[in-house]
Amino acid sequence: MLTQSNYFAVDNFTEFRLKMLNWSNRFSIFCMLDNQQYSFNDPAFECILAAGCKKSVSASAGNAFDTLQQFYNNRSGWIFGHLGYDLKNEIEALGSENPDGIGFSDMFFFEPELVIKLGQKAVEITGTGDPESVFNAIEQEQLPPDTATGSSIKPGSRFTRDSYIETVKKIQEHIARGDCYVLNFCQEFFADNILIKPVEVYKKLLTISPNPFSALYRVNECWCLCASPERYLKKEGSSILSQPIKGTASRHLLDELKDEASRQHLRQSEKEKSENVMVVDLVRNDLSKICREGTVNTRDLFGIYSFPQVHQMISTVTGELEKDMDFSAIIKATFPMGSMTGAPKKRVMELVEQYERTKRGLFSGAIGYINPDGDFDFNVVIRSILYNMQNRYLSIQTGGAITFYSDAEKEYEECILKAKAMMQVLEN
């Protein structure tokens, strides 16, 4: 069948978006990316849903990038998918022996049957079927009542508070010896034999913590409910852009003066700026491998952005790509992202495997799209609930940048702060 594309007027943006979410649940493979109506990241659309699978590719580290490039070269339209953290094993010849309860592949991309782009006043539906029938089906979705998501779930941790603090101090010993300068150290909160309704949990997560790089992503039994504030990498024409986050402060929504004080403390914190600039330098170095000489620049250094749960320090690094740069070469030069690793990157990733107790998998990887013109946009998979529907395993991972000057107890509290929205949803 020929691909058809039609526009339809939307009377109620919020309601139609919720109906899209409900309707997507009938597909075993789909990806919904949602800007949550933030404007400061210059979004290409408010939200986009890729549903159904015409063809796909999945690979483990070892031959993933060649496989991905071949799939990219043979694409006939949009493709969506993910890059798992453990692609590092192919980039740097590393290994991963920690347990993985979720099971996302290291890399997966698919060409969807339908692409649905939703704006404030209209929706564009493109696919091999009849766009009008798809629009009508979404419109006829019945929104369920806003009820609790089920039994209260209180995930346990792979670390006690004391063992986490002890591990941070061991990492700081490596820093003191000069093994590394900054290391992103993460811990997992998990629950076994848990039954959830992922779409309903995701809706509640976005009610509590709407963020500009949110995603609901399903590959068969594996789900990612993502409320990420961070962009990994965006390409538009020959321009490339990365926006690493380093620096976090709590929100105080019921006390405007206290909230502003927290924001200003983050803005002026030498520790947070030091962490941020180290990651910016790492990103600049990564982009310099694929960009024309002299074009890599930092703009909005130490920008402060406010989200429902936290204030964040975000810097923006841009560059102009070398001519005829392959997609896989761009990813290999910049992945995993500096904000989720540290510096120097290879040694840090070795230490992450040594001290963390869970395989990261999709966490601290990326979810995104490549459009028919070859432009792309990928988030950083953080502030996410990962769930395997078959084995009923649920995982939340959070972490932070460890430096020589880090306070181990405060780093633990930052992990708890970052997990707050996910925990609040699950304890409903």
Side-chain angles (χ1 to χ4, degrees):
M1 295 180 66
L2 295 175
T3 298
Q4 301 182 65
S5 183
N6 280 7
Y7 287 87
F8 303 91
V10 171
D11 295 327
N12 187 319
F13 170 85
T14 300
E15 182 179 281
F16 194 86
R17 180 172 58 184
L18 291 174
K19 288 181 175 182
M20 279 174 62
L21 274 171
N22 278 11
W23 182 80
S24 67
N25 202 22
R26 68 190 66 197
F27 296 92
S28 60
I29 296 175
F30 71 85
C31 179
M32 186 164 177
L33 306 174
D34 195 343
N35 177 62
Q36 287 295 298
Q37 298 177 274
Y38 281 85
S39 60
F40 54 69
N41 283 301
D42 192 24
F45 40 76
E46 291 293 346
C47 73
I48 187 168
L49 170 63
C53 178
K54 291 197 289 186
K55 60 181 181 178
S56 67
V57 64
S58 179
S60 299
N63 66 339
F65 285 99
D66 287 345
T67 304
L68 175 57
Q69 187 62 47
Q70 184 176 357
F71 188 76
Y72 174 91
N73 291 342
N74 294 329
R75 75 194 190 283
S76 58
W78 292 79
I79 58 175
F80 291 73
H82 77 262
L83 305 161
Y85 173 78
D86 289 292
L87 287 175
K88 67 177 176 58
N89 298 340
E90 180 174 340
I91 297 170
E92 294 287 0
L94 300 171
S96 300
E97 302 300 328
N98 289 325
D100 174 16
I102 299 299
F104 275 106
S105 60
D106 291 340
M107 179 274 289
F108 179 86
F109 280 84
F110 70 102
E111 189 171 321
E113 296 171 357
L114 291 161
V115 175
I116 303 172
K117 290 192 286 184
L118 177 61
Q120 286 292 335
K121 300 293 184 182
V123 61
E124 180 187 8
I125 300 176
T126 303
T128 53
D130 173 24
E132 186 171 4
S133 65
V134 173
F135 175 77
N136 290 335
I138 296 173
E139 280 277 53
Q140 290 164 15
E141 279 290 318
Q142 297 297 311
L143 295 178
D146 187 16
T147 58
T149 56
S151 302
S152 178
I153 300 169
K154 295 185 178 180
S157 176
R158 296 290 176 190
F159 289 86
T160 64
R161 186 176 186 276
D162 288 344
S163 65
Y164 179 91
I165 290 170
E166 180 183 346
T167 305
V168 169
K169 291 179 178 177
K170 289 180 180 177
I171 292 169
Q172 288 176 312
E173 291 175 8
H174 285 281
I175 296 171
R177 290 198 297 266
D179 290 344
C180 58
Y181 307 106
V182 57
L183 182 150
N184 188 276
F185 173 54
C186 300
Q187 63 172 315
E188 182 193 30
F189 303 89
F190 69 100
D192 288 306
N193 198 26
I194 295 300
L195 184 62
I196 67 169
K197 295 180 179 179
V199 174
E200 295 307 308
V201 175
Y202 179 69
K203 288 179 185 177
K204 292 182 181 298
L205 177 61
L206 293 191
T207 299
I208 295 171
S209 186
N211 279 300
F213 295 101
S214 299
L216 181 62
Y217 180 55
R218 179 184 184 183
V219 181
N220 300 316
E221 302 303 322
C222 298
W223 291 77
C224 178
L225 290 58
C226 179
S228 175
E230 184 171 3
R231 168 181 276 138
Y232 156 47
L233 204 61
K234 177 182 180 181
K235 175 184 173 291
E236 193 169 16
S238 63
S239 298
I240 200 86
L241 176 149
S242 183
Q243 293 180 298
I245 291 179
K246 268 292 164 280
T248 303
S250 58
R251 296 297 310 270
H252 303 277
L253 298 177
L254 300 181
D255 188 329
E256 187 175 338
L257 291 178
K258 193 174 182 180
D259 191 53
E260 180 60 23
S262 181
R263 177 184 171 92
Q264 291 304 322
H265 181 267
L266 176 60
R267 183 188 299 278
Q268 296 163 14
S269 169
E270 292 303 320
K271 171 189 174 293
E272 302 287 11
K273 288 192 286 187
S274 174
E275 292 178 11
N276 191 282
V277 80
M278 279 191 273
V279 174
V280 166
D281 286 344
L282 179 60
V283 172
R284 286 176 58 90
N285 181 66
D286 287 348
L287 291 188
S288 69
K289 301 172 188 175
I290 52 173
C291 289
R292 291 189 286 109
E293 186 176 351
T295 65
V296 176
N297 294 295
T298 305
R299 70 171 200 243
D300 195 23
L301 184 65
F302 309 143
I304 306 298
Y305 295 79
S306 298
F307 302 97
Q309 303 293 320
V310 292
H311 300 293
Q312 301 271 205
M313 184 178 287
I314 307 176
S315 296
T316 300
V317 185
T318 62
E320 291 295 319
L321 290 168
E322 294 277 10
K323 190 175 180 181
D324 300 325
M325 183 63 61
D326 284 343
F327 172 69
S328 62
I330 295 172
I331 302 303
K332 287 180 76 172
T334 58
F335 192 84
M337 57 289 299
S339 62
M340 297 306 297
T341 51
K345 191 182 278 190
K346 182 177 181 180
R347 181 57 178 140
V348 158
M349 291 190 292
E350 292 172 343
L351 292 172
V352 162
E353 289 299 324
Q354 180 178 339
Y355 289 110
E356 292 184 3
R357 299 180 179 178
T358 307
K359 189 175 181 179
R360 289 191 181 181
L362 182 53
F363 171 74
S364 72
I367 296 171
Y369 69 85
I370 306 166
N371 73 15
D373 295 326
D375 290 339
F376 59 77
D377 204 358
F378 287 87
N379 73 359
V380 179
V381 180
I382 53 176
R383 318 293 159 81
S384 299
I385 298 170
L386 299 174
Y387 180 61
N388 185 304
M389 185 177 284
Q390 185 172 28
N391 63 24
R392 297 186 178 185
Y393 184 89
L394 183 146
S395 174
I396 297 168
Q397 295 193 55
T398 63
I402 309 302
T403 68
F404 181 79
Y405 297 103
S406 292
D407 182 316
E409 294 183 2
K410 289 182 179 178
E411 293 295 338
Y412 181 81
E413 295 303 322
E414 184 175 315
C415 282
I416 301 302
L417 174 64
K418 289 174 177 175
K420 181 180 178 181
M422 286 86 76
M423 296 295 193
Q424 187 176 342
V425 168
L426 295 172
E427 292 174 3
N428 188 326

